[in-house]
């Protein structure tokens, strides 16, 4: 949603030929920071925290535990990448590369 808001702000600014100023009070991290970066200028209360906190994709792998307990994964999917990041099986090197690439792309958008 933050990227959508930022693009809408830029469109309105261009359409109406007016600059956008953002005022931050308290915290503007992650999505709030992304929105603020769409402004011509960011005005910040001195006690506020502003910045990118990074991109994270938390995950755990439980495939070994399932094997140990004799539980069979019976997931059915349609589509080549539908099960990417599934916790019930190990990630392939190609999936790891794809997920890392997506995280890098997201991180670049925040910069």
């Amino acid at each position: 949603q933050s990227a959508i808001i930022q693009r809408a702000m830029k469109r309105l600014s261009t359409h109406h030929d007016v600059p956008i100023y953002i005022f931050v009070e308290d915290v503007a991290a992650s999505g709030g920071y992304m929105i603020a970066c769409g402004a011509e200028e960011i005005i910040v209360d001195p006690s506020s925290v502003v910045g990118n906190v990074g991109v994270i994709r938390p995950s755990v792998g439980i495939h070994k535990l399932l094997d140990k307990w004799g539980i069979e994964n019976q997931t059915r999917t349609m589509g080549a990448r539908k099960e990417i990041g599934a916790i019930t099986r190990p990630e392939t090197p190609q999936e790891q590369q794809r997920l890392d690439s997506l995280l890098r792309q997201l991180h670049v958008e925040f910069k």
Side-chain angles (χ1 to χ4, degrees):
Q1 295 83 357
S2 302
I4 293 168
I5 293 169
Q6 186 193 62
R7 286 191 299 269
M9 284 174 24
K10 288 182 178 186
R11 273 195 312 274
L12 287 169
S13 175
T14 301
H15 180 73
H16 295 288
D17 195 29
V18 295
I20 294 177
Y21 299 94
I22 296 283
F23 175 73
V24 173
E25 183 177 43
D26 197 21
V27 176
S30 294
Y33 177 65
M34 183 177 222
I35 292 168
C37 286
E40 191 76 24
E41 184 176 340
I42 303 171
I43 302 158
V44 182
D45 180 88
S47 63
S48 298
V49 176
V50 179
N52 175 15
V53 295
V55 178
I56 184 170
R57 182 194 155 261
S59 182
V60 297
I62 64 167
H63 59 278
K64 291 180 182 178
L65 187 60
L66 294 177
D67 289 343
K68 179 179 178 180
W69 287 352
I71 300 171
E72 182 182 347
N73 176 20
Q74 297 181 349
T75 303
R76 303 291 183 260
T77 63
M78 293 299 241
R81 296 186 181 133
K82 186 64 178 175
E83 202 179 13
I84 192 169
I87 65 171
T88 55
R89 61 176 183 73
E91 290 178 343
T92 67
Q94 295 83 8
E95 290 172 334
Q96 290 173 359
Q97 289 173 352
R98 174 72 176 149
L99 291 169
D100 288 346
S101 174
L102 290 171
L103 289 176
R104 275 192 298 280
Q105 289 172 17
L106 288 170
H107 190 247
V108 165
E109 285 186 37
F110 273 108
K111 287 185 176 182

